Amino acid sequence: QVRLVESGGGLVQPGGSLRLSCAAPRAIFSTFSPLSLGWYRQVPGKQRELVATAPSTGEPNYADSVKGRFTISRNNSRKTVWLQMNNLKPEDTGVYYCNTIPIGTNSWGQGTQVTVSS
């Protein structure tokens, strides 16, 4: 189990940007670095969607809905994963969570709310 804490959400106008952070304050480097991690998005009434992945090795992957607008990055020494979100659209509104891939038995954090509205 790795406890992950999300932050950085907020209210932004369409076309704006936000940067989300996901930290693992209690993890150690040797536990964090081998993990594949992802950002998930939950919209009311819909299934939680995986929008970006940062594998332990290799290139990031993105859902088609965010490709070209979102960028995931990680720093294993800081035990942190970020999601840079640009050109935000109203349909990006939701609660964003980070978690391991696969999720397995890892718990969900509290998430961070992103609202895109004029």
Side-chain angles (χ1 to χ4, degrees):
Q1 287 267 345
V2 178
R3 179 172 171 259
L4 299 164
V5 181
E6 304 94 342
S7 61
L11 173 64
V12 64
Q13 292 187 341
S17 297
L18 282 174
R19 190 189 195 208
L20 307 184
S21 297
C22 169
R26 296 179 182 173
I28 58 176
F29 177 85
S30 59
T31 300
F32 185 87
S33 59
L35 296 174
S36 290
L37 295 158
W39 281 98
Y40 300 76
R41 175 168 68 198
Q42 177 79 64
V43 177
K46 293 187 177 181
Q47 281 193 325
R48 199 168 292 180
E49 172 192 20
L50 178 62
V51 298
T53 64
S56 55
T57 58
E59 296 298 313
N61 287 289
Y62 302 94
D64 288 343
S65 58
V66 307
K67 202 170 290 183
R69 299 187 298 121
F70 290 11
T71 302
I72 190 170
S73 60
R74 64 189 290 168
N75 183 313
N76 291 331
S77 297
R78 295 176 64 180
K79 300 169 290 177
T80 303
V81 179
W82 296 274
L83 186 67
Q84 177 68 43
M85 306 187 296
N86 298 329
N87 190 21
L88 282 160
K89 303 177 180 180
E91 52 263 41
D92 294 318
T93 295
V95 181
Y96 284 71
Y97 303 85
C98 66
N99 212 330
T100 56
I101 300 172
I103 297 167
T105 59
N106 214 46
S107 300
W108 291 97
Q110 82 285 355
T112 186
Q113 174 72 44
V114 172
T115 303
V116 185
S117 175
S118 54

